[in-house]
Amino acid sequence: MDHTAVLALYDRDMREGARPDGPTARIERAGAVVRQIADERGWNGVLWSGLDAAGADRAIGEQIAFFTGLGRDFEWKLYGHDRPDDLGRRLAAAGFRAEPEETLMVGEVSRLVLDGQQPEGVRVVEVTDPAGVDLVVDVHERAFGTDGTRLRHRLLDGLAAAPEAVVAVVALAGGEAVGAARMELVPGTRFAGLWGGGTVEAWRGRGVYRALVAHRARVAAARGYRYLQVDASSMSRPILERLGLHALSTTTPYLYGG
């Protein structure tokens, strides 16, 4: 895979040419910044910027004024290859706080290693109704220790408005939900994004996460998507590398407000 070419394609299609990620969201271009505006339950923030040292501070100030004027907390999603090189420092100086860095990983679906054995006694099923969404949210809260209210709304809204664009899956061991994840399929692009993959603590290290990735990869291939994209934590990166995904950059959420 040509890393430079695929990263440029990702920036063009998924960031600069981003589509709204939900029925209540919209995308705007404000000068050299592409942002998403949603309601209080959705994601608000900056997806892409093409800044230089001379205009960066002004652009940061403009986005702060815009989102605070709407009464929204927001995120500036900074990538390791964004310019200027000190953009993260400038965001911090303007009052943003950085969350942990993750690795942007991309893999060509046709070249992934997906033939590993599924964990014994575990089956992966797709979620299509509110009861299934509750299972996904329950796993999310147990795996990550965070509130799943926003995720519940996101999945319910997505499955109702555009079921072809979201795939939610849960791993079941008997009747217990032990892992869950989702995939977002962006029409008109070659990328399917993997999000929220989590396994409850007692089931980690048994191949559940891998099984969730493999299931979603097969769905993406069947629907004609060429690449899988993941913002990978340090825990998931080694698994994804073994499956055939490549590290292309880093991504750090810079949060304002809240």
Side-chain angles (χ1 to χ4, degrees):
M1 191 174 76
D2 184 333
H3 291 196
T4 301
V6 174
L7 181 59
L9 180 65
Y10 177 81
D11 280 344
R12 188 191 73 196
D13 286 0
M14 305 301 290
R15 301 182 64 207
E16 188 174 7
R19 282 76 162 172
D21 70 0
T24 66
R26 70 182 189 274
I27 299 293
E28 290 183 350
R29 181 157 190 158
V33 169
V34 173
R35 62 196 181 199
Q36 175 171 292
I37 302 96
D39 61 18
E40 294 85 349
R41 302 189 313 191
W43 186 87
N44 289 271
V46 173
L47 292 155
W48 175 89
S49 64
L51 303 175
D52 57 24
D57 291 335
R58 181 177 66 254
I60 292 169
E62 288 170 350
Q63 297 313 305
I64 292 172
F66 176 79
F67 282 105
T68 56
L70 295 177
R72 301 280 194 276
D73 298 339
F74 75 106
E75 174 184 331
W76 192 300
K77 194 168 175 63
L78 179 69
Y79 288 76
H81 57 287
D82 287 345
R83 297 291 179 266
D85 292 338
D86 64 348
L87 185 53
R89 181 192 62 76
R90 293 169 184 263
L91 290 168
F96 289 80
R97 64 186 186 279
E99 292 286 283
E101 180 183 274
E102 295 183 314
T103 302
L104 172 65
M105 302 190 72
V106 175
E108 197 161 0
V109 175
S110 64
R111 298 185 178 185
L112 298 182
V113 181
L114 304 175
D115 55 356
Q117 187 176 11
Q118 184 137 318
E120 184 176 356
V122 173
R123 58 193 176 97
V124 177
V125 299
E126 293 184 24
V127 165
T128 58
D129 58 22
V133 169
D134 285 343
L135 292 177
V136 172
V137 172
D138 176 64
V139 169
H140 178 88
E141 292 181 334
R142 287 190 289 149
F144 299 112
T146 56
D147 180 74
T149 301
R150 180 171 289 186
L151 174 62
R152 177 179 283 106
H153 288 310
R154 183 187 186 101
L155 288 176
L156 289 173
D157 289 349
L159 289 170
E164 73 285 352
V166 59
V167 176
V169 292
V170 62
L172 299 173
E176 181 189 3
V178 299
R182 73 182 192 276
M183 176 168 64
E184 296 180 359
L185 303 162
V186 183
T189 76
R190 282 159 276 192
F191 291 90
L194 305 189
W195 301 96
T199 306
V200 300
E201 187 172 2
W203 279 84
R204 290 173 187 164
R206 304 197 201 183
V208 173
Y209 179 83
R210 179 189 177 104
L212 293 169
V213 173
H215 182 96
R216 289 174 290 167
R218 293 186 184 102
V219 173
R223 298 192 186 183
Y225 286 83
R226 183 172 180 180
Y227 299 105
L228 289 186
Q229 170 263 318
V230 189
D231 289 351
S233 68
S234 58
M235 183 180 298
S236 59
R237 176 173 174 170
I239 302 171
L240 295 167
E241 287 177 332
R242 289 194 293 271
L243 292 174
L245 280 83
H246 303 265
L248 299 189
S249 187
T250 60
T251 177
T252 304
Y254 277 81
L255 307 182
Y256 193 93

